[in-house]
Amino acid sequence: MPDADITGPTIDVFDGVHDAVPETLAAHLRTVRLIDHHVHGTFHTPVDRAGFEAAINEGSTAPIPDFMTQFDSPLGLSIRRWCAPILGLPAQAGADEYWKRRTDFTPDELAALMLPPAGVERWIVDTGFQGDLITSPQRLSELSGRPSSEILRLEQLAQNLLESGTSPEAFPDAFRAALSTAAHAPGTVGTKTIAAYRTSFDIDWARPADHLVIEHARELAARDSQRVDSPVLVAFGVHEAADHGLPIQVHVGFGDRDLDLHRTDPMLLLPLLRTMAPVPVMLLHCYPYHRQAGYLAQAFDHVNFDVGLAVNHLGARSGAVIAEALETAPFAKQLYSSDAFGPPELHLLGSVLWRRAMGLTLGEWVRAGDCSEVDAIRIVDMIGVHNADRVYALPVSR
């Protein structure tokens, strides 16, 4: 596996904490090439400051109130700390200074600056959300110099069929045929459900009969919008996807304001996990339910999880959630992701903050005698690279 040091003269992920991370572990974390198993593209057209600040606020895309700025948030501080040097500014540059300098670059120039230092070997890209605003997987590869794979979003596939005129009576078989074609297309390595946003998890996860699917497809087709928010159609899609054997990603926890957070505890997925075909289930993000996700990953052979989205948004406190994620689940059941969408700062920060947090957490274990440095490096490789390689059966590119 080729190495590429992400710590040039402008950025050192262990700045300020060198004494807390054993030297060999730190050297490995600086150079290991990660697989980002859940990510989106970067903006391909310029955004104004309001649009940028909205993009670094996971909970809302509404305009930022006049009395505040998103630069005064854990994520905003981390952008100023770690991304400012990439733009030729001092670390912790002021918000206005950072924004002024950022406007000197085109979206592609920003991506070309931010993506390679992330040290990501492969991007596994979800294209199902606002794809008109962000780069395609192919363009992400061009800008980063590294290959991409794709994730198929199940609810979007169902919506596309209904919007294209598929009759309710034909919908079950049409969905199966479209899923088979899309799931086995070159470059597709998994599927995803956004049940958390559409129905939440406290639904009947039993596999529905076709007559129920037809009934709910008929109700949806009669509406002005074919946005798939039917529990029956969501459960149908997940079970059908499982039959194809590909990993199924599931958004869990932290998200936009239209998500009912209290209904996205992954423990509510127990009826599904106990009855579905045992394909790999990838619980994404998981905060603040990462400990529940860790339990499920321990209890079910086919369950895996990450804390990707939270790492960026917790900023300097991301080490705490990384440490908690390591508490219960086997290390072979955890993966790295950034869930970056839009600003390429997020693609870089996910990597920087994860490397830093893993160094500090595992370094403490090593210093206390609870873990050898060899084991610590092996844990980094499992979570950062090998688990994704195995679960998604990725093509050899390294």
Side-chain angles (χ1 to χ4, degrees), residues 73 156 166 218 272 327 341:
S73 69
Q156 190 63 51
T166 301
R218 184 179 295 116
L272 174 66
E327 287 177 354
F341 176 99

PDB file of all heavy atoms in Angstrom, residues 73 156 166 218 272 327 341:
ATOM      1  N   SER A  73     -18.294  27.738  16.143  1.00  0.00           N
ATOM      2  CA  SER A  73     -18.831  26.423  16.500  1.00  0.00           C
ATOM      3  C   SER A  73     -17.641  25.467  16.540  1.00  0.00           C
ATOM      4  O   SER A  73     -16.548  25.793  16.047  1.00  0.00           O
ATOM      5  CB  SER A  73     -19.850  25.948  15.462  1.00  0.00           C
ATOM      6  OG  SER A  73     -19.199  25.646  14.226  1.00  0.00           O
ATOM      7  N   GLN A 156     -34.639   6.666  -3.193  1.00  0.00           N
ATOM      8  CA  GLN A 156     -34.571   7.436  -4.427  1.00  0.00           C
ATOM      9  C   GLN A 156     -34.897   6.560  -5.631  1.00  0.00           C
ATOM     10  O   GLN A 156     -35.561   7.001  -6.580  1.00  0.00           O
ATOM     11  CB  GLN A 156     -33.182   8.048  -4.593  1.00  0.00           C
ATOM     12  CG  GLN A 156     -33.081   9.063  -5.731  1.00  0.00           C
ATOM     13  CD  GLN A 156     -33.972  10.273  -5.507  1.00  0.00           C
ATOM     14  OE1 GLN A 156     -33.924  10.884  -4.453  1.00  0.00           O
ATOM     15  NE2 GLN A 156     -34.811  10.582  -6.478  1.00  0.00           N
ATOM     16  N   THR A 166     -44.285   4.333 -13.573  1.00  0.00           N
ATOM     17  CA  THR A 166     -44.502   2.925 -13.242  1.00  0.00           C
ATOM     18  C   THR A 166     -45.820   2.779 -12.491  1.00  0.00           C
ATOM     19  O   THR A 166     -46.081   3.486 -11.513  1.00  0.00           O
ATOM     20  CB  THR A 166     -43.358   2.376 -12.372  1.00  0.00           C
ATOM     21  OG1 THR A 166     -42.127   2.509 -13.082  1.00  0.00           O
ATOM     22  CG2 THR A 166     -43.591   0.920 -12.016  1.00  0.00           C
ATOM     23  N   ARG A 218     -49.846   2.734  -4.668  1.00  0.00           N
ATOM     24  CA  ARG A 218     -51.015   3.424  -5.246  1.00  0.00           C
ATOM     25  C   ARG A 218     -51.309   4.710  -4.474  1.00  0.00           C
ATOM     26  O   ARG A 218     -51.583   5.756  -5.071  1.00  0.00           O
ATOM     27  CB  ARG A 218     -52.222   2.490  -5.212  1.00  0.00           C
ATOM     28  CG  ARG A 218     -53.468   3.086  -5.885  1.00  0.00           C
ATOM     29  CD  ARG A 218     -54.630   2.105  -5.856  1.00  0.00           C
ATOM     30  NE  ARG A 218     -54.342   0.910  -6.649  1.00  0.00           N
ATOM     31  CZ  ARG A 218     -54.240  -0.313  -6.153  1.00  0.00           C
ATOM     32  NH1 ARG A 218     -54.400  -0.522  -4.851  1.00  0.00           N
ATOM     33  NH2 ARG A 218     -53.981  -1.343  -6.941  1.00  0.00           N
ATOM     34  N   LEU A 272     -35.708  -5.810  12.630  1.00  0.00           N
ATOM     35  CA  LEU A 272     -35.152  -5.976  11.288  1.00  0.00           C
ATOM     36  C   LEU A 272     -33.883  -6.824  11.334  1.00  0.00           C
ATOM     37  O   LEU A 272     -33.723  -7.762  10.542  1.00  0.00           O
ATOM     38  CB  LEU A 272     -34.854  -4.608  10.673  1.00  0.00           C
ATOM     39  CG  LEU A 272     -34.134  -4.621   9.322  1.00  0.00           C
ATOM     40  CD1 LEU A 272     -35.024  -5.236   8.251  1.00  0.00           C
ATOM     41  CD2 LEU A 272     -33.698  -3.214   8.922  1.00  0.00           C
ATOM     42  N   GLU A 327     -15.240   1.526  22.873  1.00  0.00           N
ATOM     43  CA  GLU A 327     -15.463   0.886  24.167  1.00  0.00           C
ATOM     44  C   GLU A 327     -15.951  -0.552  24.076  1.00  0.00           C
ATOM     45  O   GLU A 327     -15.497  -1.419  24.824  1.00  0.00           O
ATOM     46  CB  GLU A 327     -16.497   1.698  24.974  1.00  0.00           C
ATOM     47  CG  GLU A 327     -15.968   2.997  25.519  1.00  0.00           C
ATOM     48  CD  GLU A 327     -17.053   3.788  26.235  1.00  0.00           C
ATOM     49  OE1 GLU A 327     -18.239   3.383  26.208  1.00  0.00           O
ATOM     50  OE2 GLU A 327     -16.705   4.817  26.825  1.00  0.00           O
ATOM     51  N   PHE A 341     -19.978  16.567   2.790  1.00  0.00           N
ATOM     52  CA  PHE A 341     -20.887  16.988   1.708  1.00  0.00           C
ATOM     53  C   PHE A 341     -20.658  18.475   1.456  1.00  0.00           C
ATOM     54  O   PHE A 341     -20.818  19.291   2.370  1.00  0.00           O
ATOM     55  CB  PHE A 341     -22.349  16.759   2.106  1.00  0.00           C
ATOM     56  CG  PHE A 341     -23.346  17.265   1.081  1.00  0.00           C
ATOM     57  CD1 PHE A 341     -23.929  16.382   0.188  1.00  0.00           C
ATOM     58  CD2 PHE A 341     -23.690  18.605   0.998  1.00  0.00           C
ATOM     59  CE1 PHE A 341     -24.837  16.843  -0.764  1.00  0.00           C
ATOM     60  CE2 PHE A 341     -24.587  19.070   0.060  1.00  0.00           C
ATOM     61  CZ  PHE A 341     -25.170  18.187  -0.824  1.00  0.00           C
TER      62      PHE A 341
END
